[in-house]
Amino acid sequence: MQFTSERLDGDVLEREFTLGEIPGTLWTPGSAAPVPLVLMAHNNGLPKSDPRLAARARYTATRGYAVATIDAAGCGERPRSAADERARTELRRAMRAGEPVDEIFESFIGPLVENTVPEWRTTLDALLTLPGIGGPVGYSGGWTALGIRLAVTEPRIKAAGFFAGGYVPRAQREEAGQVTIPLLFLLQWDDEGNPRERALELFDAFGTKEKTLHANLGGHTGTPWFELEDGCRFLDRHLK
């Protein structure tokens, strides 16, 4: 892992890093003691510098966590395959025409999850060797499909916060029953891209006995700020 830049924002140190071909950002609080780590994955296609993600990461770091995110293949400035570009073009066309889009989502989100999980696990290995970062590890992010696969395959993750705002492929919906860690699930009741019935079915499918659903009125980007505060309290209960 190589750090390429750093800046101090109040008491939070923000550092850009590269790990092979993987670019990422790490936020750490001004604390001498080792702090828990939160992996903050974003929806595919968005850059790690997305303002909403960066604001969430900085706030979480002020609450006593190291927070890391990466750009997966095809996200941010990383190159996209020709197949992904074709799928995205077809998706935009189908959405404009009001046609079903689930199979198009399956065609590129499913493989993207499969390819991204190893990168996140490699990043986790490197992060946990850094001074000032200790276990346990949590997951918090809008990319629920990725979070499900990581929760099932990565035993170092002890709690997760998911946002029901993106398409979850069939493979991850089937894996939901294997998720046994404490879970906080956020749902925007009027999310135009994610029918609430499907989100509620997914919540019901999670295998954990400790799961909480927070539903708020509003569209996809209308999640109230207080949910970030509640999310940190959830992390506090399970990671500290």
Side-chain angles (χ1 to χ4, degrees), residues 1 14 33 36 40 48 50 52 55 67 84 91 99 120 131 137 146 172 176-177 190 218 227:
M1 177 176 285
E14 178 180 319
M40 196 167 281
K48 58 185 176 61
D50 177 74
R52 289 178 299 163
V67 184
D84 281 350
L91 175 63
E99 298 174 0
W120 264 112
V137 181
L146 175 67
Q172 278 67 65
D190 308 299
E227 288 292 1

Side-chain angles (χ1 to χ4, degrees), residues 77-113:
E77 297 181 359
R78 294 186 70 181
R80 296 177 178 177
S81 68
D84 281 350
E85 289 291 4
R86 287 193 297 271
R88 292 174 191 273
T89 299
E90 177 61 15
L91 175 63
R92 289 190 290 268
R93 184 206 63 77
M95 292 180 70
R96 286 194 300 267
E99 298 174 0
V101 295
D102 282 8
E103 291 307 317
I104 303 174
F105 274 124
E106 287 282 344
S107 70
F108 74 95
I109 293 183
L112 190 58
V113 170

Side-chain angles (χ1 to χ4, degrees), residues 123-173:
T123 302
L124 178 57
D125 290 340
L127 289 168
L128 289 178
T129 67
L130 297 176
I133 298 180
V137 181
Y139 178 92
S140 175
W143 196 353
T144 296
L146 175 67
I148 292 172
R149 174 57 60 85
L150 282 172
V152 170
T153 61
E154 181 47 73
R156 289 173 291 187
I157 296 178
K158 303 302 183 182
F162 295 155
F163 175 60
Y167 182 81
V168 177
R170 285 187 290 268
Q172 278 67 65
R173 294 200 296 270

